[in-house]
Amino acid sequence: MKTDDLIDMLGTNVEPVGKTAGRTLTLTIAGGALIAGSVVLATMGARPDLLASTSALFLCLKIGLMLLVLVPASIFLGRLARPGGEKRVSLVLLALPFVAVAGLAIAALSITPKSHWSAAIVDDEWLECLISIPVIAIVPFAAIIWAVRRMAPTDLVRAGAVSGLVAGCLSALGYALHCTGDSIPFIAIWYGGTVVLCTLAGALLGPRLLRW
Amino acid sequence: MDKDQLKPFMLKSLRGDDAAHRELLARLSRHLRAYYRGKLSRIGRSATEAEDLVQEALMAIHMRRHTYDPAEPLMPWIYAIARYKLIDHLRHTRASMTDVPIDDVDPIGEEDDASGVESSIDLGRLMEGLPEKMRTAVKAVKLDGLSVSETAAKFGMSESSVKVSVHRGLKALAAMIGREKTS
């Protein structure tokens, strides 16, 4: 085929293009938050002590921390979904909250007697947390990948990783409604760790799922 | 080269201007041809193969133009697509990426190149592979130049169904071009 013939074809009855590309992705992320929250409340229920002051404090802490990652990650995903967008994201910025919480966790442990370490880290809920966050992340992840595929990412590893990161954060946000693991080291390891796991899974899957 | 001299054409083409869209694609095809020939000739690949990539990239630019942000300059967006398609192509044709210096640009230069080289892609044959409804719609609207309403009346389809079929048909063709070339 001659390239001119292709151009003739593409240039006949050109459809106007609306500005919906970024909006679909934003709506998908918002929808993912609703899904993750509803799944947690429907299957596991809210934590029974939700209204007690210390548990409310820790719930706010978890939500605040997740938003600190989720908001910039969502903005970066919007950039990564467009050609060349990988030049305008900073993965270091996304890693900062994780480093900060890890630092706080080490500080908290350093002032905790060693005999109490295992209670702080391996709460009753650690296994549930380890399993729940990645499992709840699956549906939001699939939805986000669907939305990113409609755009045009040109760095599939990073686009996949940040898709996984956003899905992991959405899942952790939902799971926080249920989880009673209230200690900084617990949050650092079981929330931080599982969200990092989701990010790595996204990085591995990105090149397969997002190719266009 | 004035980096953004093509941007006005892009903005018009996003609003559905046929003439601007053709002019844009024609000019971009010269940039892309120079770019792909430059890269591929270094690893002994043919001009036909470069032309395949030019067409794949044009198709990608057309199908993904909704991801262009009008607030941004145009050429980095184009270049990112061109580069992505080159890397994807090399990966799937088993060339080692280290053979081609992908990043030492050569910013996409416009080469005066009255090329008659055809790609290895046979549009007619690809069209045969489309489901009937898409083929009918693409042929009428994109090849025969009938308007959407004329096509709808002629084939007893609704206008929205024609639009959807054209869009899906082009998307399917883009995917086929990606698989077809030099495979």
Side-chain angles (χ1 to χ4, degrees), chain B residues 119-131:
Chain B
S119 71
S120 66
I121 300 156
D122 183 340
L123 183 63
R125 201 161 50 75
L126 292 187
M127 291 281 288
E128 296 291 311
L130 288 180

Side-chain angles (χ1 to χ4, degrees), chain A residues 105-170:
Chain A
I106 291 168
L109 285 179
S110 68
I111 57 170
T112 309
K114 272 201 174 145
S115 54
H116 289 67
W117 278 20
S118 68
I121 298 172
V122 198
D123 203 304
D124 306 336
E125 291 202 29
W126 71 272
L127 184 61
E128 187 191 78
C129 185
L130 177 64
I131 294 170
S132 299
I133 290 182
V135 168
I136 298 165
I138 291 175
V139 172
F141 181 70
I144 289 167
I145 290 292
W146 169 84
V148 174
R149 274 182 64 88
R150 295 164 61 97
M151 298 181 72
T154 48
D155 184 333
L156 305 189
V157 173
R158 284 186 198 186
V162 178
S163 299
L165 176 62
V166 169
C169 285
L170 294 175

Side-chain angles (χ1 to χ4, degrees), chain A residues 12-58:
Chain A
T12 303
N13 290 314
V14 178
E15 286 276 316
V17 170
K19 295 179 212 159
T20 55
R23 207 183 308 153
T24 307
L25 182 59
T26 311
L27 288 177
T28 305
I29 293 172
L34 282 179
I35 291 170
S38 319
V39 165
V40 169
L41 292 180
T43 61
M44 299 192 279
R47 56 186 297 174
D49 56 351
L50 190 61
L51 300 174
S53 59
T54 47
S55 50
L57 179 73
F58 269 97

